[in-house]
Amino acid sequence: MATNVAVPRLSDSTPAGAERRGEGRGAPDRRARPPAFAAIDLGTNNCRMLIGVPSGGGFHVLDSFSRVVRLGEGLYRTGMLSDAAMDRAIEALSICADRQRRWQVSATRAIATEACRQAENGHAFIARARTETGLPIETISPREEICLAMESCASLITQAERRALLFDIGGGSTEIAWVRVPAAHGGSDRVTPQLIGYHTIPVGVVTLSERCAGWCETEAGFAGVVDEVKALLRPFEETHRISQEIRMGGVRLVGTSGTVTTIAGIALNLDRYRRGAIDGTVLPHDVVAAGLESIRAMGRARLTEHPCIGADRVDFVLPGCAIFAAIEEMWPAADLAVADRGLREGMLMRLIRNARSRPRRCQA
């Protein structure tokens, strides 16, 4: 049976489906609430934002936004961000900028990831985005990216007995973190997981969907992609001997990506995607394997119609499943902790922690 752990969740102040539609409620009087913070993540495929206020040991979400912008569209072929893709991203970032001004946030962190790291014109695009939106957007390193994911998933990582293998299957790259759980953690999410090592591979769902379009729909093509990804992961395995650690026990896989949450939704037979039923769920290996096989057996038409997938994500599902299958074959842990959270949540938690650590000025 799946086990739920206590984790921060999207609050009721965000209407159902609002993040997908890009909607939000009007901002109340700032004097009636704690200071708000904004976190914006511009990825290879999506632009996402969370605005939240401190609440207990976490945060309460005031507003959220997500839009498919396909910033990395064509990047694999040309090495450049296209004009159309940059325009879509700027439009989405402008909405984020308007929303964070409306909420009168105290601090904003805005980041870009693999598409801007890879593109020859990535720096020029970031400069343009800063000028046109006023956002302090910056391109972060793979290490910073995995550290933010670790921060948001700390409560899941510390549920492991000894070690955790955290992975994030993105649009343009996949990040892996090998993490030590302090011995005297007692299941507490207040203990800081310790990064042993990290690895990034330039393979994500967008790059695979463009480079291997249709391959993953066949048995031979899917197996070929899995083998290619495993070859990219093998140096990390040879360095850290993770498979040996898994055989010793006490190691948990922790996955944070749309691929992982989709597999979980299918494995749990959800009639529609519900974050509360997915985030923090721990699935046994056989349940995960059954979900993966169900997705592969559906065919494109059924994948498009499935409420946990949809037409805007159907191109990326099987490439993502191939990356996941490579990770799972390389490191076959007993179970998988599923995280519907990532860089935005990690940024918000850091912003809030930094604000709390600053000395307060005396009032005149």
Side-chain angles (χ1 to χ4, degrees):
M1 293 294 291
T3 301
N4 290 316
V5 297
V7 293
R9 299 190 177 184
L10 291 176
S11 72
D12 292 337
S13 59
T14 302
E19 182 174 27
R20 178 170 293 182
R21 296 191 304 268
E23 300 171 1
R25 293 181 178 176
D29 188 340
R30 181 176 178 177
R31 293 170 297 182
R33 57 164 170 78
F37 300 89
I40 301 168
D41 169 22
L42 178 63
T44 302
N45 196 48
N46 295 282
C47 178
R48 301 183 177 98
M49 179 187 69
L50 280 181
I51 296 176
V53 295
S55 177
F59 56 84
H60 176 84
V61 175
L62 298 175
D63 197 0
S64 62
F65 171 82
S66 180
R67 176 176 290 186
V68 175
V69 295
R70 299 191 182 226
L71 179 60
E73 185 176 49
L75 177 60
Y76 170 75
R77 297 188 305 273
T78 68
M80 304 280 286
L81 303 176
S82 70
D83 291 339
M86 289 189 288
D87 289 344
R88 291 193 297 266
I90 292 292
E91 181 182 357
L93 288 171
S94 297
I95 294 172
C96 293
D98 289 343
R99 299 265 277 270
Q100 60 100 23
R101 282 191 292 267
R102 187 189 315 161
W103 284 100
Q104 303 176 60
V105 301
S106 296
T108 297
R109 179 107 192 260
I111 63 168
T113 54
E114 187 65 14
C116 290
R117 288 195 294 258
Q118 285 189 14
E120 294 179 26
N121 57 344
H123 290 298
F125 167 73
I126 291 297
R128 175 191 167 191
R130 288 174 177 167
T131 299
E132 295 189 19
T133 69
L135 293 171
I137 190 165
E138 58 180 324
T139 303
I140 63 171
S141 67
R143 181 185 176 90
E144 174 74 359
E145 189 170 347
I146 200 64
C147 285
L148 287 171
M150 279 179 58
E151 181 124 16
S152 67
C153 296
S155 63
L156 298 179
I157 292 171
T158 55
Q159 296 295 318
E161 294 178 22
R162 298 188 305 111
R163 301 281 191 274
L165 186 71
L166 172 67
F167 63 94
D168 183 357
I169 302 172
S173 65
T174 296
E175 275 68 46
I176 311 285
W178 182 225
V179 185
R180 178 184 295 109
V181 179
H185 66 286
S188 171
D189 60 1
R190 295 185 179 182
V191 174
T192 302
Q194 300 168 357
L195 181 64
I196 301 172
Y198 74 96
H199 188 54
T200 183
I201 60 175
V203 175
V205 298
V206 174
T207 51
L208 271 184
S209 68
E210 292 189 355
R211 182 165 61 89
C212 310
W215 286 12
C216 292
E217 296 179 16
T218 69
E219 286 291 331
F222 190 91
V225 173
V226 170
D227 288 342
E228 179 182 337
V229 175
K230 286 171 67 176
L232 295 172
L233 298 174
R234 196 160 287 117
F236 195 59
E237 160 63 20
E238 292 172 352
T239 298
H240 295 285
R241 305 295 181 184
I242 298 169
S243 58
Q244 179 177 331
E245 293 277 358
I246 290 174
R247 287 192 294 271
M248 293 170 58
V251 178
R252 169 168 290 171
L253 282 183
V254 181
T256 168
S257 68
T259 294
V260 175
T261 57
T262 297
I263 292 172
I266 300 298
L268 294 172
N269 295 313
L270 297 184
D271 55 354
R272 61 182 178 82
Y273 187 82
R274 298 192 300 276
R275 184 179 189 270
I278 295 293
D279 186 42
T281 296
V282 179
L283 300 177
H285 178 273
D286 58 343
V287 174
V288 176
L292 181 62
E293 287 306 309
S294 293
I295 291 174
R296 294 189 59 198
M298 282 187 188
R300 186 178 181 86
R302 289 177 60 199
L303 289 172
T304 301
E305 295 169 358
H306 198 285
C308 289
I309 301 172
D312 60 344
R313 297 183 57 237
V314 68
D315 291 336
F316 310 128
V317 173
L318 290 175
C321 285
I323 298 173
F324 174 80
I327 294 170
E328 196 276 335
E329 287 183 20
M330 181 73 72
W331 300 301
D335 53 35
L336 169 70
V338 182
D340 186 353
R341 59 183 105 161
L343 304 188
R344 295 177 302 171
E345 289 83 357
M347 284 187 282
L348 269 185
M349 293 171 72
R350 282 193 182 182
L351 287 169
I352 291 169
R353 186 175 64 248
N354 290 342
R356 285 172 170 165
S357 66
R358 292 192 202 106
R360 294 185 178 181
R361 295 182 179 179
C362 295
Q363 297 296 319

